[in-house]
Amino acid sequence: MPTFWFCAVAGMLALFAVLDGFDLGAGIIHLRVARTERERRSVLATIGPVWDGNEVWLIAAGGTLYFAFPRLYATSFSGFYLPLIIVLWLLMLRGIAIEFRNHVDHPVWIPFWDAVFSFASALLAFTFGAALGNVIRGVPLDASRYFFEPLWSDAGPGARTGILDLYTLLTGATAFVALAFHGAHWVVLKSEGAVRERSRGLALRAWWPLALLSALCGAATFRVQPLVAEGYARRPWMWLFPAMGVAALVLSRHFTVRRREMAAFFASATLLASWLASTAAGVYPNLLPSQIDRAYNLTIENAAAPSYGLGVGLAWWIPGMVLVTAYFAYAYRRHAGKTPAAEGAVERGGA
């Protein structure tokens, strides 16, 4: 049963990365690919109906983590308190920027909120990547099963790391480029005209740094966290996930060059999902490794709720997932196809 909930949380986080990833990416690139007010409205219109609904998957993953692995929830939320507060502020800033930009028609007001939206989207992408890097690298967990990390202390990997070191800066930069790449494919899929062509060009140019950063990040992960290499050695079938990621990366460029927009977007989505699957498979059955001693690692066994709670949780989780999936199917079907350039405020249709 703990393995099921491990897979459920990993699956919800992968959905969050794929779905919220494209609207974060659209936020990162929108000042680059949209040069007029009408074009910026058209980029915002591509994510307007779904951007806030996509964040439901982050809330769902947090809620599932709370009841399935309460020790992990307590440890990570107290240890990562400062980064979590930063994430909350950035999520709020994005929503405020989208909402406020259309309230006053002034040559300073609208560009200011556009810049806030782009800045918050970029910093969120980097923060999520750095957070994933911390989970992979491990934290200074001791016998109390609690830890504290400063924002930074030493740039190199070791026992006295901060939240930001060379490895987590690399994972943050990789996430930033990957989500900008994913967002460019979404804007290509949903827009027309000059915005679509600029987004397509940006996706092609971003492919090379993304391929380089992906290779560096993969090599650094095996060096920083030996548990990943040991996990792949015990379960060689898990190499299927990184292989899918490499194939998706190659196909995303192939489809972009040939202007197959839908296929390129799904290749980009597969790339993000396979990265997260590779990470989850590599650290399994660990949830949060300790840098001090492996005996202090939080695993699916020592961090899980009692069996009774895990079983009862299915009674609300399954209907909840059915409802959320039905809602998303309806929302995305309703807003399928190209999005016309918005003349007014961004439509909001999410949760």
Side-chain angles (χ1 to χ4, degrees):
M1 188 62 81
T3 297
F4 168 80
W5 289 112
F6 176 86
C7 295
V9 172
M12 286 186 282
L13 289 177
L15 279 170
F16 171 71
V18 169
L19 296 178
D20 206 49
F22 70 68
D23 65 59
L24 285 173
I28 294 171
I29 69 169
H30 95 290
L31 290 180
R32 178 81 176 176
V33 301
R35 297 176 181 172
T36 65
E37 167 60 13
R38 181 182 176 82
E39 288 179 351
R40 292 192 187 103
R41 285 176 181 271
S42 72
V43 173
L44 289 173
T46 65
I47 64 170
V50 295
W51 72 268
D52 47 359
N54 291 338
E55 292 168 2
V56 165
W57 291 107
L58 182 62
I59 299 170
T64 305
L65 204 63
Y66 176 72
F67 88 85
F69 302 106
R71 179 173 288 180
L72 173 66
Y73 184 90
T75 300
S76 58
F77 274 60
S78 60
F80 292 130
Y81 184 77
L82 177 59
L84 287 171
I85 292 299
I86 292 174
V87 166
L88 284 177
W89 274 101
L90 292 173
L91 287 172
M92 287 189 289
L93 268 180
R94 289 185 82 236
I96 290 170
I98 293 174
E99 192 68 37
F100 279 20
R101 75 179 305 278
N102 297 310
H103 284 203
V104 178
D105 187 11
H106 189 276
V108 174
W109 180 267
I110 293 176
F112 170 76
W113 287 114
D114 283 343
V116 169
F117 175 59
S118 189
F119 169 77
S121 300
L123 198 52
L124 263 175
F126 177 85
T127 304
F128 283 135
L132 182 62
N134 273 269
V135 172
I136 298 169
R137 181 204 62 197
V139 294
L141 272 176
D142 57 22
S144 70
R145 301 298 170 85
Y146 286 95
F147 71 95
F148 169 77
E149 275 193 316
L151 194 56
W152 62 80
S153 62
D154 187 343
R160 292 177 55 81
T161 56
I163 291 170
L164 295 177
D165 63 6
L166 287 179
Y167 177 67
T168 57
L169 287 172
L170 176 62
T171 56
T174 305
F176 171 81
V177 176
L179 295 191
F181 178 78
H182 190 46
H185 282 297
W186 174 258
V187 177
V188 169
L189 184 65
K190 300 293 289 183
S191 65
E192 296 177 305
V195 171
R196 179 181 62 180
E197 291 307 309
R198 291 189 203 113
S199 301
R200 180 175 170 276
L202 192 150
L204 287 171
R205 291 192 299 277
W207 191 90
W208 291 104
L210 178 59
L212 175 62
L213 286 169
S214 300
L216 290 174
C217 210
T221 296
F222 279 87
R223 178 178 175 80
V224 168
Q225 183 49 269
L227 288 173
V228 175
E230 294 170 16
Y232 276 90
R234 284 196 302 272
R235 297 179 289 274
W237 61 267
M238 295 191 316
W239 285 102
L240 176 66
F241 297 122
M244 285 175 58
V246 172
L249 182 64
V250 173
L251 286 174
S252 67
R253 185 170 182 84
H254 172 80
F255 292 136
T256 305
V257 169
R258 283 159 179 73
R259 296 181 178 274
R260 294 176 61 182
E261 300 170 356
M262 182 69 79
F265 175 74
F266 277 109
S268 174
T270 303
L271 172 65
L272 294 180
S274 61
W275 275 1
L276 289 175
S278 302
T279 303
V283 299
Y284 176 87
N286 297 281
L287 295 169
L288 189 62
S290 168
Q291 293 176 309
I292 298 174
D293 192 321
R294 291 190 179 187
Y296 303 141
N297 289 1
L298 288 181
T299 68
I300 62 168
E301 297 298 337
N302 64 28
S307 300
Y308 174 78
L310 295 180
V312 170
L314 287 174
W316 68 262
W317 189 83
I318 292 176
M321 288 301 103
V322 170
L323 289 174
V324 171
T325 303
Y327 166 77
F328 270 80
Y330 168 76
Y332 278 88
R333 184 176 177 81
R334 181 185 177 192
H335 299 286
K338 298 287 184 183
T339 303
E343 296 290 347
V346 174
E347 180 187 358
R348 300 179 71 244

